[in-house]
């Protein structure tokens, strides 16, 4: 009997290892539950999603100071927060770049930029770079729209025209929030856009 | 000797810059092909013949892209006698073509041909380049006929780039 139990455990172990090996693409897909985090905000305080018990959802946005695409979206991100936080969906900005590789994205530079632009939202540093891979963020800017229970409802760009706000025809994030508010699935749950790679120390 | 070389290079650089700028002022075309829409550009990604095409997506503002450009320069020179063609597709913004891309090319003359793709409806065309591409640059596609390899990160060495061509031939 002992032998059988031992064999059973061995089989389960092999199965588990096999499953983890199959999951080569880390990160979240629409429908997954996003992990919470505790990261330092530019005001020095630690911020978690659990700190927003009244939120109906979160616009988690991986962004930075140094990527031209992220910079083009700064004003729109401020507007988005002002519009959506009132509805219960605050923007939570996370800066994923390693400041040692990209000095323009240091905590001090984040504080400076936030002050210059008057960011009304939390701007957190992904210190140790553990959160962006857990989400599967691969570029800046990169939005993960979560509902109250942290279920991912939309992944992608803020809208369909980074270069020219006046030429925007689809406001992906706003449309997805509106769909959630109406109790529907967003029409578009995933979009792609050009962006900057996330800066990290080269492996090996 | 070195000083002289630098001086000559400086003069050549200044001349090419002034040529580019003059070309701009006279309204003559840019020193690169401009594709307004992905539909215009699509044939570049679908040439079906014996040539291997190396298509790199970059921008002047993208530091890792600029860092790997010398590898494409070397490749372009080293495959001159072979059926291999390199194309550097800039995703610089329309407003930066005269302001940034033209001076950049004057300052860093690139050996392979350069094109610009201005289509900003990224979600409509990124998958057409490669479904593996998330949109971050640099990104490179190597293809010949129906065989295609996508490389979604910066090349860390010249051999990493040539390995991709060898892989395509397998």
């Amino acid at each position: 009997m002992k032998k059988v139990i031992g064999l059973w455990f061995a089989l389960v172990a092999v199965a588990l290892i096999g499953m983890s090996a199959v999951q080569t693409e880390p990160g979240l897909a629409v429908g997954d539950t996003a992990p919470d985090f505790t990261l330092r905000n530019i005001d020095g305080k630690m911020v978690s999603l659990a700190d927003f018990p009244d939120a109906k959802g979160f616009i988690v946005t991986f962004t930075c100071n140094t990527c031209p695409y992220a910079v083009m979206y700064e004003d729109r991100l401020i507007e988005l927060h002002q519009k959506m936080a009132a509805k219960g969906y605050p923007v939570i900005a996370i800066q994923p770049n390693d400041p040692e590789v990209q000095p323009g994205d240091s905590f001090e530079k984040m504080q400076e930029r936030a002050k210059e632009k008057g960011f009304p939202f939390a701007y957190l540093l992904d210190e140790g770079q553990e959160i962006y891979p857990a989400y599967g963020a691969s570029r800046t800017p990169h939005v993960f729209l979560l509902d109250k229970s942290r279920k991912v409802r939309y992944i992608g760009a803020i809208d369909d025209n980074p270069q020219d706000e006046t030429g925007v025809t689809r406001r992906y994030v706003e449309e997805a929030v509106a769909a959630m508010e109406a109790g529907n699935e967003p029409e578009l749950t995933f979009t792609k856009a050009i962006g900057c790679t996330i800066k990290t120390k080269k492996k090996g | 000797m070195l000083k002289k070389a630098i001086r000559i290079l400086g003069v050549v650089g200044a001349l090419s810059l002034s040529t580019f700028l003059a070309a701009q002022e006279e309204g003559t075309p840019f020193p690169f092909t401009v594709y307004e829409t992905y539909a215009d550009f699509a044939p570049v990604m679908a040439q079906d013949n014996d040539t291997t095409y190396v298509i790199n997506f970059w921008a002047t503002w993208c530091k890792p892209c600029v860092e790997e450009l010398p590898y494409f320069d070397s490749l372009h020179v080293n495959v001159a006698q072979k059926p291999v063609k390199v194309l550097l597709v800039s995703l610089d913004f329309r407003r930066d073509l005269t302001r940034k891309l033209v001076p950049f090319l004057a300052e860093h003359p690139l050996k392979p041909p350069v094109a610009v793709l201005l289509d900003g409806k990224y979600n409509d065309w990124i998958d057409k380049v490669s479904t593996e591409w998330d949109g971050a640059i640099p990104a490179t596609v190597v293809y010949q006929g129906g065989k295609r390899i996508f490389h979604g990160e910066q090349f860390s060495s010249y051999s990493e780039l040539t390995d991709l061509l060898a892989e395509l031939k397998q």
Side-chain angles (χ1 to χ4, degrees), chain A residues 21 35 55 58 124 149 157:
Chain A
F58 305 93
L124 316 174
S149 58

Side-chain angles (χ1 to χ4, degrees), chain B residues 61-119:
Chain B
W61 49 259
C62 164
K63 202 172 134 214
C65 302
V66 171
E67 281 171 3
E68 68 174 11
L69 286 176
Y71 305 143
F72 293 96
D73 256 354
S74 304
L75 183 70
H76 180 78
V77 172
N78 294 340
V79 298
Q81 306 300 323
K82 292 179 185 169
V84 177
K85 283 194 174 131
V86 181
L87 178 66
L88 303 171
V89 182
S90 154
L91 299 177
D92 279 279
F93 313 128
R94 186 186 302 277
R95 58 162 195 253
D96 289 340
L97 297 190
T98 307
R99 205 174 58 165
K100 288 188 180 158
L101 184 58
V102 169
F104 178 91
L105 294 174
E107 208 178 312
H108 312 87
L110 296 171
K111 295 187 182 87
V114 173
V116 178
L117 176 54
L118 292 174
D119 193 334

Side-chain angles (χ1 to χ4, degrees), chain B residues 112-133:
Chain B
V114 173
V116 178
L117 176 54
L118 292 174
D119 193 334
K121 297 290 181 200
Y122 300 120
N123 189 51
D124 296 341
W125 62 259
I126 286 174
D127 275 341
K128 292 177 183 166
V129 172
S130 171
T131 52
E132 292 172 60
W133 189 14

